Amino acid sequence: MKDKLYSVLRKRWTPWAAAAIAAMVTAFLLHHHGRIWWCACGKATPWSGDIWTSHNSQHLFDPYSFSHVLHGVIFCGLFALLLRKASSQWRFFFSIVLECAWELFENSPFIIQRYREGTFALGYEGDSVLNSMGDVMSCGIGFAVAYYLGLRRSLVFVAIVELVMLVWIRDNLTLNIIMLIHPIDAIKAWQMGQ
């Protein structure tokens, strides 16, 4: 009985523990590569809502956290297709690992410079470690939302979040990808209110 209980617990908790370890390793690597732990202002507040200040991407959550929620929704669908035989816990783990990889890439000098040149994030310095961990948590939330909603309602959820972000901050996941890969001057001017 004791061995069976241990086996069940190990199967269920291993993916969650592995996801937590992946996040901790990512935090360590980000800090090791020069990312500050939290905002240079010294206040580790949970939310910074103004994308036009130096506080953007420096606190736990900001308007771009919603893009990371959408990452989780997309990863949930992607891994449901690619890893059909895997449990939802392992698909969650792979989603977190992919998000952690993105956080490391997003905070590389190459991508930081790309954001500065191609988007309206002119003074972007990269994320704080706290913000990156908030982004990883947001991805996990998005995965859970998609798992609960299912495919059709998740697609509606993605469309609503994208539209709200577009109206709210003149940016969203779709525009972020476009402007990172192939910047368009007209979009950048619109985003800057010109």
Side-chain angles (χ1 to χ4, degrees):
M1 179 78 167
K2 185 178 178 183
D3 289 338
K4 187 175 181 180
L5 178 62
Y6 174 75
S7 177
V8 168
L9 287 175
R10 195 178 92 218
K11 283 182 182 178
R12 289 199 178 166
W13 289 103
T14 299
W16 302 108
I21 290 167
M24 287 186 283
V25 168
T26 301
F28 171 79
L29 290 172
L30 286 166
H31 186 63
H32 180 71
H33 290 291
R35 306 279 23 111
I36 60 173
W37 285 108
W38 57 74
C39 185
C41 69
K43 296 178 184 175
T45 58
W47 172 260
S48 175
D50 189 352
I51 65 167
W52 295 101
T53 70
S54 61
H55 294 280
N56 190 53
S57 297
Q58 300 304 301
H59 298 274
L60 186 61
F61 299 110
D62 58 38
Y64 287 102
S65 298
F66 294 101
S67 288
H68 295 275
V69 168
L70 296 185
H71 289 182
V73 172
I74 293 165
F75 297 162
C76 182
L78 176 69
F79 288 123
L81 288 173
L82 296 177
L83 304 172
R84 292 176 189 253
K85 293 184 179 180
S87 69
S88 59
Q89 292 95 336
W90 280 112
R91 284 183 271 181
F92 175 83
F93 163 74
F94 287 115
S95 297
I96 295 301
V97 167
L98 191 54
E99 183 68 16
C100 287
W102 167 249
E103 287 302 316
L104 291 168
F105 186 59
E106 179 186 29
N107 286 287
S108 68
F110 171 75
I111 293 296
I112 290 171
Q113 187 60 32
R114 192 81 180 122
Y115 274 128
R116 287 183 194 154
E117 292 171 357
T119 71
F120 69 98
L122 303 174
Y124 181 65
E125 295 291 329
D127 298 354
S128 70
V129 175
L130 182 68
N131 181 260
S132 287
M133 293 301 98
D135 292 345
V136 171
M137 283 190 281
S138 296
C139 175
I141 291 166
F143 184 96
V145 166
Y147 185 78
Y148 174 76
L149 292 178
L151 178 62
R152 287 187 196 141
R153 289 185 288 174
S154 290
L155 292 173
V156 172
F157 176 76
V158 168
I160 290 169
V161 171
E162 286 285 84
L163 286 171
V164 167
M165 287 185 69
L166 192 66
V167 171
W168 179 25
I169 62 170
R170 293 184 180 218
D171 203 4
N172 59 24
L173 183 57
T174 303
L175 287 181
N176 204 286
I177 293 168
I178 290 168
M179 296 301 285
L180 192 59
I181 294 171
H182 182 72
I184 299 170
D185 290 336
I187 293 175
K188 185 175 179 178
W190 174 77
Q191 287 179 318
M192 296 180 79
Q194 298 175 348

